[in-house]
Amino acid sequence: MFDYAHLKALSVVVSQGGFDKAAKHLYISQSAVSQRIKQLEEKVGQSLLVRSNPIRATETGKRLLRHYAQVQLLESELRSEMDVDDPSLPTIVKIAVNADSLATWFLPALADTFKQHKWLLELIVDDEAYTHHLLKNGEAVGCVTTTQTALSGCSSEFLGNMEYLCVATPQFIQTYFTSEFTVNDITQAPAVVFSTKDKLHDKFLNFYFDIKDKRWREHKIPSSESFLEAIKMGLGYGLVAQPQAKALLDNGELVEIFPDKRMHVPLYWQHWNIKAKQTSVIYRALAASAKHVLNS
């Protein structure tokens, strides 16, 4: 049996990025935090932290953090069922989500659920191809991800396909593209991409035009809203989620460059296999909203 004060110390050290900040957060001395980590490592028989800057958990440490987070979630549910109302111990649900989902359908899908249950939402935003790592590491109880295969100890539920359209302003198209839309046009015209993690633009050019090896120019804008603003300002062309693009296409502010060439990204809800209502309730809310926004 683990001492949960020790597990909490481990969690806070990792979340705060060091022993000094963890001590301030826990209102105890730094030596007390170090002692708790030392005792936990002695019990496990392995190192739980990589003493880097910031400090991060080892693989064993990540497993313990995941266990601790699951216990916290179950205890929150138990308090609720027993009608033990403690405002100092609110239910915090940590979810990893991709920026495009967050900018379009995700928050409206969950708002009523979180208001009804008075849960607190903590979002971690990352590329949809990487969010499942946050679930695996115990940093989130669930994630919206492109990974279909369920992680160990988790379930995976299909939500739908996010459709992406290649768009630009009419002025940008007139400046950079000929009527034939040649490969040379595409490699010379500046693109707008979300980040170095986001490979959607790479896949689009590779799949439809057989363009590889980064033979194109690009702006990197790691914000879903600013990404779209950059395209609207005529800085470049880019792949925009259909829910974000629709109104701009309807009013003529943007034009779809290749109407017959769209990308479809499957999204899944992965969550821990524990008997906590939070994960099942959240899935039902996400699924109900996704069927109106995402393609089946």
Side-chain angles (χ1 to χ4, degrees), residues 181-183 186 203-212 215 258 261:
F181 295 113
T182 66
V183 170
I186 298 168
K203 293 176 181 177
F204 174 76
L205 294 185
N206 188 358
F207 181 79
Y208 284 115
F209 301 100
D210 196 32
I211 300 175
K212 303 175 183 178
R215 291 190 296 114
F258 309 107
K261 296 176 175 61

Side-chain angles (χ1 to χ4, degrees), residues 8-286:
K8 182 176 182 178
L10 176 66
S11 176
V12 175
V13 167
V14 173
S15 65
Q16 296 295 315
F19 286 84
D20 183 51
K21 290 182 179 179
K24 293 177 181 177
H25 185 87
L26 293 169
Y27 300 103
I28 59 177
S29 67
Q30 184 173 335
S31 61
V33 174
S34 299
Q35 187 64 23
R36 291 180 185 184
I37 299 299
K38 180 181 178 181
Q39 290 172 352
L40 189 56
E41 288 181 324
E42 288 175 350
K43 184 175 181 63
V44 175
Q46 295 184 47
S47 176
L48 301 176
L49 295 171
V50 177
R51 269 68 173 180
S52 56
N53 187 19
I55 286 176
R56 54 189 174 85
T58 64
E59 289 304 313
T60 301
K62 290 174 183 178
R63 287 194 287 271
L64 286 179
L65 290 174
R66 178 171 169 175
H67 169 73
Y68 177 63
Q70 290 174 346
V71 169
Q72 284 186 305
L73 197 63
L74 290 169
E75 285 185 350
S76 294
E77 183 174 347
L78 181 61
R79 288 196 303 271
S80 176
E81 291 175 351
M82 295 176 67
D83 199 24
V84 179
D85 188 18
D86 186 349
S88 68
L89 296 172
T91 297
I92 300 174
V93 184
K94 298 181 181 181
I95 299 175
V97 63
N98 61 306
D100 289 334
S101 291
L102 181 59
T104 52
W105 64 278
F106 187 82
L107 278 181
L110 294 184
D112 287 343
T113 297
F114 275 77
K115 287 189 291 186
Q116 175 187 345
H117 294 281
K118 297 181 179 178
W119 297 336
L120 298 180
L121 176 61
E122 184 173 331
L123 288 179
I124 308 169
V125 182
D126 205 338
D127 186 81
E128 60 268 22
Y130 292 84
T131 50
H132 66 286
H133 293 296
L134 300 168
L135 180 66
K136 180 180 179 182
N137 294 344
E139 297 175 60
V141 302
C143 67
V144 176
T145 177
T146 56
T147 302
Q148 178 180 7
T149 304
L151 297 170
S152 176
C154 297
S155 293
S156 179
E157 316 283 355
F158 178 64
L159 291 171
N161 291 291
M162 180 71 86
E163 187 175 43
Y164 288 84
L165 289 58
C166 187
V167 299
T169 64
Q171 296 80 8
F172 182 90
I173 294 172
Q174 186 175 11
T175 300
Y176 285 97
F177 289 102
T178 64
S179 58
E180 294 82 15
F181 295 113
T182 66
V183 170
N184 184 64
D185 291 339
I186 298 168
T187 56
Q188 293 303 307
V192 180
V193 301
F194 185 73
S195 71
T196 53
K197 282 185 176 180
D198 183 18
K199 302 301 180 185
L200 186 64
H201 198 92
D202 303 45
K203 293 176 181 177
F204 174 76
L205 294 185
N206 188 358
F207 181 79
Y208 284 115
F209 301 100
D210 196 32
I211 300 175
K212 303 175 183 178
D213 303 323
K214 285 286 185 183
R215 291 190 296 114
W216 61 87
R217 303 172 182 182
E218 62 185 28
H219 304 284
K220 295 183 178 68
I221 313 289
S223 160
S224 188
E225 291 79 9
S226 297
F227 168 89
L228 183 56
E229 283 299 314
I231 295 174
K232 288 165 59 180
M233 291 175 183
L235 282 176
Y237 74 100
L239 293 164
V240 177
Q242 191 274 340
Q244 286 182 296
K246 185 178 185 307
L248 297 169
L249 293 171
D250 289 345
N251 66 21
E253 191 170 351
L254 294 180
V255 175
E256 187 172 5
I257 306 173
F258 309 107
D260 59 334
K261 296 176 175 61
R262 296 183 174 183
M263 297 296 286
H264 296 86
V265 177
L267 297 177
Y268 301 85
W269 168 247
Q270 285 211 31
H271 60 88
W272 294 336
N273 274 334
I274 58 175
K275 294 181 179 179
K277 71 178 180 183
Q278 287 91 342
T279 54
S280 57
V281 169
I282 288 170
Y283 168 62
R284 288 197 295 270
L286 290 177

